[in-house]
Amino acid sequence: MREDKVSEFNVGEVGKEKSRRVRLKPVNREQMVLRPMDVERLVPEDHEVRAIWEFVGRLDLSRYYEDIEVVEGEAGRSASDPRLLISLWIYAYSKGVSSAREISRLSEYDPAYQWLTGMEPINYHTLSDFRVKHKESLDELFTQVLGLLSVEGLLSLERVMHDGSKVRACASADTFRREERIRVHLEVAREQVEQMGDPRTAEEVGPRVAKARQRAVREKQQRLEKALEELEKIRACKSSPEEKKKARVSMSDPEARIMKQSDGGYAPSYNVQITTDAKEKVIVGVGVSQCGSDYGELVSAVEKVEENMGCAPGQVVVDGGFISRENILVMEEKKIDLIGPMGDGAEQSAGQLNRRGVEAAFRPEAFRYDGDSESYTCPAGKVLRPDGKEEQPGRINYRYRARGADCRACAFREKCCPQSGTRGRSIRRAVDDPVVVAHMEKMQSEEAKHIYRHRGEVAEFPNAWIKDKIGLRQFRLRGLIKVGMEVLWACLTYNIKQWIRLCWRPQWA
Ligand code: SF4
């Protein structure tokens, strides 16, 4: 229609108007076109897909080849080359694509994917199975990549920075149920499994659909059985019978846990732990935890780096969430220089005292310690004598107690120890291990503060990149092992991208 209007437009001088029809190129979508295509030239020489193919070609993939059953001279369809499947996944992740179906679709028309596959279509089942099938091989691949990056001089292990980040699980908060509800669902699933007949004789939907439905019901049953197992683990961490009774678990992903997010909300998540070498921000260790707190993750993160690299890092920089007295002692034992601030727990103590009804004027600071007599004197002038000690990793808490008769007769009792019953007021004197004291003194030095100031830009960069570029804000897979593999693919992609950015040059260059 637009072409007709333009063609009737009048041009020319006033009084000498004449109409003319402009000629436009037609769009013909009904013709058949046959063109020669040079697959090698689908992408330019400096395209990153060539770098990925080249890099993966340098890796030893023999573990993957061992799993291939079809061999020369025997019947059966040829298997897809692991080098191709790995390259496809790495390239797809680098473009924020994490769906096997999407890669399969892109392989039909996107030049980079076509170049990789040599214009051969690739089945999404093949891609999907490959991503989660070879856990040990993938771990070894990650280590091999680190070896190549080390040879290129991209990492030194002199200083690593570690951080944790919550990534949402493939389950919503409303899939969490208590035991009674899970048992009802499990009973229904078991009945369905028992009633299933032979899929080959299914007449209504055909054998393929019937088989797929049976698999789905069996997987649901397994998931619910796993949910009951996980529920027991959650209960084991709860102290009161009431909390144990209220414990809930997700029926979609039983291994996910409700964790606090960076925005302050709560969601089913996994805690992804990444250790980054400070030299060129290469990831040297990856882990996934079900625990929302970071305290317990530092030691396993360091061990992961040792496992990957064959030696421990010289220095580890972490935020306060990883610093506990126990971790300080373990790092000292491993001869690793630990940098990270430690809270003194003062806020927590104040909160506990408030809950016990102790007024500010009767907090431990108001009690006077006398080292010679090994006792305290309270604001009312009464003496608190030693009453045992409690040993914790990196600290000993000495307890002192006033006589019950003194406190019962005291005018300040309601302000000082309203809940102490017949016993007198007690206070604790904490004595830190010399190693812990030395760590706290070190963290006051300018050098340690300077190192710590750079923690964010190194430790948080890979986490941000993986979430932003790869789009790993929520897992596609379920379960701790599969989720771990998803993270490993993402970190593998990140490291190879670092190599492309810092080392790779196109062959013509
Ligand atoms: S309640 Fe006991 S500890 Fe507290 S001020 Fe009185 S005597 Fe001292």
Side-chain angles (χ1 to χ4, degrees), residues 422-434:
T422 55
R423 306 186 78 193
R425 165 78 188 266
S426 72
I427 60 169
R428 286 184 316 181
R429 181 171 66 90
V431 178
D432 283 322
D433 189 284

Side-chain angles (χ1 to χ4, degrees), residues 362 367 378-382 384 402 406-407 410-413 416-417 425:
F362 293 89
F367 289 63
C378 75
K382 301 296 181 188
L384 285 78
D406 287 343
C407 292
C410 179
F412 304 122
R413 185 163 185 241
C416 180
C417 51
R425 165 78 188 266

Side-chain angles (χ1 to χ4, degrees), residues 43-276:
V43 291
E45 288 292 326
D46 59 350
H47 197 286
E48 66 179 312
V49 78
R50 290 179 185 272
I52 292 170
W53 179 251
E54 184 189 321
F55 189 90
V56 177
R58 294 186 192 181
L59 301 168
D60 175 9
L61 306 180
S62 50
R63 279 188 80 144
Y64 285 94
Y65 291 117
E66 281 166 15
D67 290 347
I68 297 174
E69 288 170 2
V70 59
V71 291
E72 289 283 353
E74 289 184 13
R77 203 164 56 175
S78 301
S80 297
D81 188 344
R83 181 182 176 186
L84 168 64
L85 297 172
I86 293 168
S87 303
L88 272 172
W89 272 116
I90 298 290
Y91 181 67
Y93 269 115
S94 75
K95 295 292 164 196
V97 176
S98 57
S99 153
R101 281 180 195 268
E102 185 66 13
I103 297 173
S104 180
R105 251 195 312 273
L106 286 163
S107 301
E108 290 170 12
Y109 61 85
D110 186 290
Y113 291 87
Q114 286 180 318
W115 182 86
L116 267 180
T117 60
M119 303 286 291
E120 279 289 317
I122 186 120
N123 181 282
Y124 77 87
H125 277 303
T126 307
L127 284 161
S128 177
D129 293 346
F130 184 83
R131 175 164 58 169
V132 294
K133 198 176 167 190
H134 309 272
K135 168 84 174 76
E136 284 79 24
S137 305
L138 189 64
D139 286 336
E140 194 199 292
L141 205 65
F142 186 76
T143 310
Q144 274 195 59
V145 170
L146 289 179
L148 287 180
L149 300 187
S150 179
V151 170
E152 297 276 9
L154 299 190
L155 49 98
S156 68
L157 280 195
E158 282 173 18
R159 178 179 297 156
V160 301
M161 302 204 175
H162 182 82
D163 197 19
S165 170
K166 312 291 186 311
V167 176
R168 290 188 182 222
C170 185
S172 68
D174 58 15
T175 61
F176 279 66
R177 296 281 186 280
R178 290 187 192 172
E179 183 180 350
E180 308 82 63
R181 201 75 205 140
I182 295 169
R183 288 200 181 280
V184 171
H185 283 278
L186 181 58
E187 202 50 47
V188 173
R190 278 178 181 154
E191 278 171 19
Q192 285 175 337
V193 170
E194 276 171 22
Q195 286 165 11
M196 287 187 314
D198 186 346
R200 287 170 298 183
T201 59
E203 288 176 1
E204 278 179 29
V205 289
R208 267 188 74 177
V209 176
K211 208 172 165 187
R213 283 184 184 173
Q214 289 194 0
R215 191 173 60 240
V217 175
R218 268 199 209 94
E219 283 174 0
K220 186 179 177 187
Q221 183 189 338
Q222 286 165 2
R223 236 183 4 254
L224 292 167
E225 284 166 350
K226 180 77 181 165
L228 289 175
E229 276 176 35
E230 291 296 316
L231 196 63
E232 284 310 310
K233 288 186 198 168
I234 294 170
R235 281 180 175 156
C237 303
K238 307 280 183 193
S239 49
S240 75
E242 194 58 31
E243 282 182 328
K244 284 180 196 282
K245 199 178 164 195
K246 282 184 182 171
R248 297 184 307 153
V249 68
S250 169
M251 295 203 302
S252 304
D253 184 355
E255 290 179 272
R257 297 286 184 269
I258 298 281
M259 292 181 193
K260 191 170 184 182
Q261 308 293 302
S262 54
D263 60 6
Y266 289 83
S269 311
Y270 288 92
N271 190 352
V272 174
Q273 300 284 319
I274 291 180
T275 313
T276 311

